Amino acid sequence: MKIPKAIQNLIESFERLPGIGPKTAQRLTFYLLHVPQIELDKFATSVQNLKKQTILCSSCFAIAESDPCDICQDERRDKSTICVVEQPLDVMALERSGKYTGLYHVLHGKIDPLNNVGPDEIYIRQLLDRVSVVQRSGSALISEVILATNPTMEGESTAMYIAKEFKSQNSKVKITRI
């Protein structure tokens, strides 16, 4: 039996998503065949609007609906602390905990030489510039940068690289690794 082209195309699209193998792609596709058309239309609209209705915050590089993002605009946040994370999902996880009240900086990756990701491919330079501009201006001084990259070899090397860069700039910012 030949699989209809529309089904095959959707299966292949799902397979390109991280963590979705051929079997899961097939299950998702055949599940969607049985969803009412109105629900399928809502799903398609959500996918279409994903990039249209989101932007990167020019300050912290979190994904948001406005620039600056809600966190960067929030006057109640502790502006003296920046928590550096690898991905936007990390911000969401920390915010759900409700324990951290400072600002964030999202790298959008980690240094990973095996996959040709160096410091210039992620938002490290922007972090260094962000902290040094605030220090030079003398406004609400950033006193601490918390390196909350994942505890993998790549995450550790990213944290070490950032700490070394701050040290080489003779930065007076306290660097904390969690």
Side-chain angles (χ1 to χ4, degrees), residues 87-146:
Q87 298 295 339
L89 281 173
D90 300 326
V91 172
M92 293 170 65
L94 286 166
E95 283 298 294
R96 270 195 307 276
S97 79
K99 304 286 186 213
Y100 179 71
T101 59
L103 300 177
Y104 294 96
H105 188 88
V106 183
L107 297 172
H108 287 270
K110 57 194 174 284
I111 297 172
D112 186 0
L114 295 177
N115 290 307
N116 294 320
V117 179
D120 296 336
E121 280 74 47
I122 56 179
Y123 292 102
I124 292 176
R125 178 59 42 211
Q126 291 82 348
L127 169 67
L128 299 169
D129 292 346
R130 178 180 178 191
V131 172
S132 79
V133 163
V134 169
Q135 286 184 328
R136 282 194 308 261
S137 73
S139 63
L141 200 62
I142 295 171
S143 60
E144 182 178 18
V145 172
I146 301 167

Side-chain angles (χ1 to χ4, degrees), residues 41-99:
D41 292 342
K42 284 182 191 176
F43 180 72
T45 301
S46 295
V47 171
Q48 283 180 327
N49 290 335
L50 180 63
K51 288 233 182 196
K52 291 177 187 172
Q53 296 178 352
T54 59
I55 58 171
L56 285 183
C57 174
S58 61
S59 182
C60 72
F61 298 97
I63 297 172
E65 292 178 337
S66 63
D67 184 20
C69 70
D70 291 343
I71 293 173
C72 289
Q73 288 184 61
D74 189 344
E75 291 300 319
R76 296 169 296 183
R77 301 301 288 217
D78 175 5
K79 308 270 190 225
S80 69
T81 307
I82 296 177
C83 181
V84 180
V85 296
E86 290 179 19
Q87 298 295 339
L89 281 173
D90 300 326
V91 172
M92 293 170 65
L94 286 166
E95 283 298 294
R96 270 195 307 276
S97 79
K99 304 286 186 213

